[in-house]
Every structure is written in structure tokens, then in C-alpha cells.
Amino acid sequence: MTRVTLGSLGEKIRLHSRCFCPNVLFINVPENAEGASKVWRQGTKNAPTFSSRSIISRSPPQAVASEISTTEPKATTTLTNEEKMLRNYVPIFVMLPLGVITVDNVLEDKDKLVKELKELRAAGVDGVMIDVWWGIIESKGPKQYDWTAYRSLFQAVQECGLKLQAIMSFHQCGGNVGDVVTIPLPQWVLDIGESDPDIFYTNLKGNRNPEYLTLGVDNRRLFSGRTAVEIYSDYMKSFRENFADFLETGLIIDIEVGLGPAGELRYPSYPESQGWVFPGIGEFQCYDKYLQADFKEAATAAGHPEWELPDNAGEYNDAPESTEFFKSNGTYLTEKGKFFLTWYSNKLLSHGDQILDEANKAFVGCKLKLAAKVSGIHWWYKADNHAAELTAGYYNLKDRDGYRPIARMLSRHHAILNFTCLEMRDSEQSADAKSAPQELVQQVLSGGWRENIEVAGENALSRYDSTAYNQILLNARPNGINRDGEPKLRMYGVTYLRLSDELLQKTNLNLFKTFVKKMHADQDYCPDPKKYNHHLGPLERSKPEISIEQLLEATKAEDAFPWDKETDMSVSGDLLSNLIRKLFSLFK
């Protein structure tokens, strides 16, 4: 594949405010210096300079794919066959129900939950994942945190011998695929939105989306004197203070930082609450007054004050070819279109980078991993325009990798890239949607591995069948088991979505147990992560930021690493076993 060259466009783009510039270390201006200019200024031909901040150049670029370490044991170490197989072990977690803590901040039916947690532990599951809802914890007012119900929940998880992945859920529950309960943002935040609705993401028609604050207010003091980023930072600091005991005992091994709707680093481009239906292309979400002003300043600095945000990109349920923006030879291929898409995607990267930096400050020294979730937008992936990805903020085309820059940004925070739709196969998708989940997963995971970061994943939809399990297993170890030690390609972990009565139904649970065993490379549950090279040391402080040039270098398109056609750890068994299982399912 050819590399994208931005040419003069790359020289013209000067993003203002805290726009992304990862491989340089910024010395922040004081908090009271709100009026300080933060506009990109023209430096040398290929190296922008910045006002109001000092810049310290950072270390050399990231390692290339050939430098991926397999972290094999030292030659002096002699491993048993069991120890070698354990090097292939991929831990499996199960996401708890969305409403396990009610909107009223109550842990309901604890006895039932404990029973289910014990069933998961008996099935060999390593741990569980839980949303820690901002809308519940800080519901009573700014900095009025109530962690009581979550403390009771965490205690139950610990007593059942499971580990915990905690999501800092700064988004609304409700309005997205799979949402069965509604947990809005804190009421005091929604009240601010009554007088200033532009704090929410907004589409071209002016429809507001209250499921997540627009990144346009990340650094604006609109929330009782705090910025949105400061709100998120204070919340995470309070979490650390209130759960210091669980952090010290090693219960909490993963903090996934919510960075957008559904907790994902993206714009809310396809909200069911506003009528979106699969496989609609979605809509750009940058028409609040803060992002409009940001774009106008960036366009003016680039020498094009006449440029406006797109008004020809269609509506939620359009097909790409019905729009001027995404059609063949459409706006997205013009200088103006490329400028907008670069700005739109870079704002998202800057948003994720800044909040992850705050998360790193909050949890530095804790024995855990940070993580960020990226959405698996697989529809229209086979179309040249990748329209659905573009509206979500992933500037991904055949000749431009929109995901590896995210991985590169995550690398400086020692963070895991968590990706979705692991269970999907191309053959299951409608041809009309030009969907390619398998190729998308391969591209994103390969980009993460090329940046030498850990990658993890989830299934997008609840599935209980061997086909889905086998696809997850294939993605977890794309080249299968290495019977001599750790495989070169192995996901850090997989979280199964989600715990439910249907999952615990006998036939489904039996197959799920087989799936867990196969994830563990046919080994029993292993309580010692060191045996599968998952030792958790204290979280180190984030590395210096990365320059825009190095970020844009990560957009160079490369082929994904090779994947086997099928997993070598299939849950399916032989034809007789499959027939018996299907017969039993008829009488469940």
C-alpha cells in the first residue's frame, strides 16, 4: 500500500488550543492564564512551533513491527510443558450488567450477584468488568462523591476470588446498542446544559446529544469553576483515594478510561436515540459553538478563513454515495475535506491524550494497567470512503491508517488498546453494508502490536455459539498456540459481554466453560499472572508527548499481520459433539 502524503496540507494545518502534539513535552501554563494564546504557529517547513508553552523534544520514534518482543524466558530457564502452554494463556473477564448498581446508587440483590460471581469463578473466569458511573457517583453535586454501593460490590468480587476491571464511565447509559437501563449524566451537569446546550455534542441540524460532554469544553471552566478534564481528573483521584485498599490488595488490575459515548474514544456519530439505524453512515458531531469556533480559528490560521464545517455529508441513515461529501471523488478527497478530517480526528486524539494523562497522574504507582476503548465500526469498511468510521472520528482509508495513531498516543501512557467486535465474521454481515469486521480487527490489532502496546478486546453483541467463540479465540491468538513458549501475537485479555441469565443457562454455560478453557490454552485457571507474563508492576508516569510529525507518520498504511484461517483451539469439537449440543438446545 502507498503512504499518504499530506503535502502542503500538512504544512498548513495549525490546530489551536490543546490540539494534539504527542512526542513533545509541554510545560503547562498556569491555570489562571486562560487568555494565553495556544495557536499553532508556522515554524520550519515541517516542524510547527507553539506559543505559550515551552517544548522539550522527546525520545526517538516508536519501534517498528520487526521489533515486537515475545518476552521469551531467559535461555537459562527450563520450562515444563505445562509452563510453556501457560505462556499462551489469555485471561478472560466477564462484563457485569449495566445496572448492577442502580441509578439510585444501590447494589440490588447482592445475594443473587454473589451466586453468579461464584458460578463465573467455578467456570474458570479470571475476573469481571464493571462500569463505575459518573452519573451515579457524583449525582448530588460537584465533588460530592458517594462510593458506598461500589465498595460493597468490590468487596463481593474480591471475596469470590475474581479480579476487577473498572471503567471510569463518564458517559450516559441509554441510547446506544445494548443499553437496557438509563443512567444520565449528573443532574447538576444537565442543569448547566439547560442554559448552555453547547456543552453537548451537536449535529448539523442542531440536535444535542446529552450522553457525553463535547470535547470542545475539555478546557473551559463552565462547571462550577472546573473544566471537563478537571472533573474527570478529580473523579479518578477520588476513586483512588476511596479504593486504596482494593488497589493495594491487587483486586483492581485495570482502569479503563471512558473517553466518549459508550465509553469509547469516538464522537457520538450513530445514536439510536436520534433515529440512527444500522448501517447508516452517521453524522459529524462538531457543530456546538465551541468546536465551530475551534475549526474557524484553525481554518483561518491555515490561510482559509472561508472554509466552513461540512454541510453536505448527509444524515444518519444515508448511504455514502447519496452524499456529496462521501461519494466517489467527493469532498472528503479535496484539500478542504482532508483538512477538516485531519482536524476532526486530531481533536479526538488530543482529547484522549489529555484525559489519559490525567488518569496516569491519578493512578501512577498503582499496580494496574490503564486502557482505552476504540469502537469496532465495521460497516462501510469495504467502501473507499469508510464513511461510518470518518463520522465517528477515525480518519481511516485504504491508504491511510486511522487507528495506529491512536495506538501510538496510548503508548506514552502505558495503556492497553481495547477493541470491539471480536466475535464477528464477514460472512455474517449484510453485503449491502460493505462490512468487514475481520479485516478491521486485524488492522487495529496489528497497529497496536506495531506500536509495542498491549491489545485487548470484547465481543460487540451477546453471543453463545461456537462460531462466535472460535472467532474470538482466533483473534486472541492469530497464529495459534506456540507449544515452546509465548506466541508472538497474543491479546492481553478478552472481556466477554456480558453476564446474564441466558449466559448462565446450563447449555450456554457448558459451552462458555469450554471457551474459557480454550482461552487458557487448555490449562486450568491460573491465579499467578506472572506465569503467563502478565506481571503487574507499579504504573509508571506517562512518557513525554509525541510530535505531530510522528503522529502523522503512524497513518502510513501497512498490511495487517497474517492471521490463521481458523483457531487451533476450537470449542466446536467433533461433528457428533456438535449434534448432541444442538439436540440438547432444542429441549432447553
Side-chain angles (χ1 to χ4, degrees), residues 37 58 74 138 153 281 344 362 374 425 469 525 565 577:
S37 170
R58 91 160 262 203
K74 295 180 180 179
E138 201 176 354
L153 171 62
I281 59 173
Y344 191 65
V374 173
R425 297 195 180 200
Y469 289 144
Y525 163 75
K565 289 186 178 180
S577 298

Side-chain angles (χ1 to χ4, degrees), residues 296-356:
K296 178 56 68 175
E297 186 173 348
T300 299
H304 287 282
E306 76 281 6
W307 280 352
E308 302 287 348
L309 293 170
D311 61 1
N312 62 350
E315 299 183 351
Y316 287 121
N317 296 317
D318 283 341
E321 289 296 328
S322 67
T323 74
E324 289 294 320
F325 193 92
F326 295 114
K327 71 178 184 179
S328 300
N329 297 317
T331 307
Y332 80 100
L333 295 173
T334 65
E335 183 184 15
K336 176 182 175 181
K338 290 176 181 179
F339 177 87
F340 164 73
L341 291 169
T342 303
W343 170 84
Y344 191 65
S345 58
N346 277 8
K347 293 300 293 183
L348 194 66
L349 283 163
S350 175
H351 170 73
D353 181 65
Q354 189 179 353
I355 297 173
L356 283 167

Side-chain angles (χ1 to χ4, degrees), residues 372-427:
K373 187 177 177 183
V374 173
S375 182
I377 301 179
H378 54 87
W379 53 106
W380 304 112
Y381 184 86
K382 289 182 179 178
D384 288 344
N385 49 67
H386 289 245
E389 292 166 90
L390 267 52
T391 57
Y394 305 137
Y395 189 4
N396 190 56
L397 300 172
K398 286 191 302 183
D399 56 358
R400 189 188 197 279
D401 192 328
Y403 299 98
R404 188 171 173 184
I406 297 173
R408 184 164 291 188
M409 179 269 288
L410 294 178
S411 71
R412 87 174 190 96
H413 303 292
H414 319 288
I416 297 169
L417 191 160
N418 186 21
F419 196 63
T420 59
C421 74
L422 294 187
E423 84 284 10
M424 293 184 177
R425 297 195 180 200
D426 293 0
S427 59

Side-chain angles (χ1 to χ4, degrees), residues 469-524:
Y469 289 144
N470 286 338
Q471 189 62 31
I472 296 173
L473 284 160
L474 174 60
N475 288 323
R477 289 181 295 259
N479 305 135
I481 293 289
N482 178 6
R483 299 188 180 276
D484 293 319
E486 185 173 337
K488 287 186 177 181
L489 301 181
R490 178 185 62 156
M491 296 186 71
Y492 190 78
V494 169
T495 301
Y496 175 81
L497 185 151
R498 72 181 60 247
L499 176 62
S500 65
D501 291 341
E502 191 169 4
L503 173 64
L504 298 178
Q505 187 274 333
K506 185 176 181 180
T507 303
N508 289 340
L509 183 59
N510 285 340
L511 186 58
F512 180 73
K513 288 178 180 178
T514 302
F515 166 64
V516 172
K517 186 86 168 182
K518 298 299 182 181
M519 287 290 295
H520 291 167
D522 273 341
Q523 304 304 297
D524 292 332

